Amino acid sequence: MLLLRVILFFSILWKKFRPCDCASAFVLSTSEERSLSSFKSRQEMCYLEGKVLFHNVCYELNKQGPCKENERVVLDSDAASRIDPIFQPICLEKACQNDDIYWQKDNYCYTPESAKNLCTTKGTTAQRDMFGEGYCDCIKSPAHARMPNVKGNAPCYELYTRAQCEQNQILVERHLRSECIPNSCSSKGTNFIPWQDGKCYRLGTRGPCKNNEEFTILDHTRHPGCRDIRFSNPLYVVDIPLNCKPDHGGQCAEEFSVARGEEFRFQLLRSAERAKKRKKKSS
């Protein structure tokens, strides 16, 4: 009888604490990791194009994409407003017709022309955010930025001008942040900036560029370069690779594609902050 009890006791222990099939569990974990890694890789590729990954395809925000005719691809504002934001694309019904901008403050749709009066702060204009709603931000063309270390809807100033910097300095953008740097060409006059050949050239002129080109601040890099004045595209930088993002002196600082991915992630984070503030006000 005692022997039967001992056998029964160890039988129960074996069922409760028997080793699991760890090999199959490990395979599942590895599969999940590979799937997550693959998703992140595809997502990063989309970011390099300034797009989001939606149904395994890269789509531009505020466009129809795979959505219905009366919908557009936007970010889910609830997911983006979390403590750890998730940038989840969704299809959302258009609040306005055509290219009109929806202004949440008064729940009204403005035409691009009438929207020009919505933003009164210097250097700002009405734009459509990643949630499909209008807001005020710095003018993109010509490239503007706010002064360093300012918050809120502060004035924006054109890049590569003195702005509110100290004398003999200009406002530039480095690593997605604005800063004031010395301008060795300030003694030459207004709009003169240094170039990679050590000379000073005036923006809006031919400068170091070829015939039919203008030395200017390129919208897609927000740095000096040469623009073909015969066409709106392509925009390209003189004497350096097409995928290069130059610094303020024209030197190749980093590949433009990588910089664009970082810039898009930065825009996503800024959008998440706006979503959090908007949610806080409505609660």
Side-chain angles (χ1 to χ4, degrees):
M1 188 69 177
L2 179 61
L3 180 61
L4 288 174
R5 288 181 179 179
V6 171
I7 293 173
L8 180 61
F9 174 75
F10 280 104
S11 176
I12 294 172
L13 286 179
W14 172 257
K15 290 181 180 179
K16 188 173 183 179
F17 298 105
R18 64 180 177 180
C20 66
D21 187 359
C22 296
S24 62
F26 178 77
V27 171
L28 178 62
S29 176
T30 303
S31 175
E32 289 176 342
E33 287 181 1
R34 287 176 179 172
S35 178
L36 180 60
S37 176
S38 176
F39 170 79
K40 288 184 176 180
S41 297
R42 293 196 302 272
Q43 188 179 56
E44 288 300 316
M45 290 301 296
C46 293
Y47 286 178
L48 294 179
E49 299 177 18
K51 300 178 180 179
V52 293
L53 183 64
F54 194 27
H55 300 314
N56 289 321
V57 179
C58 297
Y59 290 105
E60 189 175 348
L61 288 168
N62 288 306
K63 301 292 184 181
Q64 181 178 341
C67 304
K68 297 178 181 178
E69 188 174 351
N70 63 331
E71 296 178 337
R72 62 175 177 269
V73 179
V74 298
L75 292 182
D76 185 340
S77 59
D78 289 334
S81 61
R82 297 177 183 177
I83 296 177
D84 294 320
I86 298 175
F87 304 114
Q88 176 62 48
I90 59 172
C91 288
L92 185 69
E93 186 175 352
K94 293 174 62 176
C96 303
Q97 296 180 348
N98 303 321
D99 291 329
D100 292 358
I101 298 177
Y102 172 68
W103 208 252
Q104 189 192 40
K105 291 181 179 179
D106 56 12
N107 195 32
Y108 191 80
C109 293
Y110 291 86
T111 64
E113 185 63 29
S114 62
K116 293 179 180 179
N117 301 320
L118 293 172
C119 303
T120 57
T121 304
K122 177 182 175 66
T124 63
T125 184
Q127 301 176 34
R128 190 177 287 107
D129 66 13
M130 295 184 172
F131 311 108
E133 298 180 1
Y135 76 111
C136 294
D137 202 3
C138 295
I139 296 172
K140 295 186 181 298
S141 181
H144 283 59
R146 292 184 171 89
M147 292 296 295
N149 304 317
V150 298
K151 297 181 179 180
N153 191 29
C156 300
Y157 301 91
E158 192 169 348
L159 290 176
Y160 291 87
T161 66
R162 181 181 174 183
Q164 294 295 307
C165 301
E166 296 181 4
Q167 190 173 1
N168 300 326
Q169 290 188 339
I170 52 176
L171 180 67
V172 302
E173 196 173 77
R174 287 175 171 173
H175 306 295
L176 307 178
R177 295 183 181 275
S178 62
E179 60 178 296
C180 293
I181 65 169
N183 180 16
S184 58
C185 298
S186 58
S187 60
K188 297 287 185 179
T190 306
N191 293 332
F192 277 89
I193 60 173
W195 188 240
Q196 57 185 350
D197 58 6
K199 298 180 181 179
C200 298
Y201 297 98
R202 188 171 187 173
L203 293 170
T205 66
R206 178 181 172 184
C209 306
K210 302 174 183 177
N211 289 331
N212 300 315
E213 293 178 353
E214 179 187 44
F215 186 53
T216 186
I217 306 303
L218 302 179
D219 293 338
H220 68 301
T221 65
R222 300 171 69 83
H223 290 275
C226 293
R227 178 176 64 88
D228 194 321
I229 59 178
R230 296 169 299 176
F231 313 100
S232 58
N233 280 309
L235 300 180
Y236 56 93
V237 181
V238 65
D239 293 334
I240 51 180
L242 293 179
N243 66 339
C244 171
K245 182 173 183 178
D247 58 20
H248 65 280
Q251 300 295 332
C252 187
E254 55 186 330
E255 287 191 357
F256 173 60
S257 59
V258 175
R260 184 171 185 179
E262 292 177 353
E263 182 176 354
F264 190 72
R265 280 192 293 271
F266 179 72
Q267 292 174 359
L268 289 172
L269 291 173
R270 286 186 61 191
S271 295
E273 288 300 317
R274 282 197 299 273
K276 290 177 184 177
K277 291 179 181 178
R278 196 155 50 204
K279 188 174 183 179
K280 188 176 181 180
K281 288 181 179 179
S282 61
S283 60

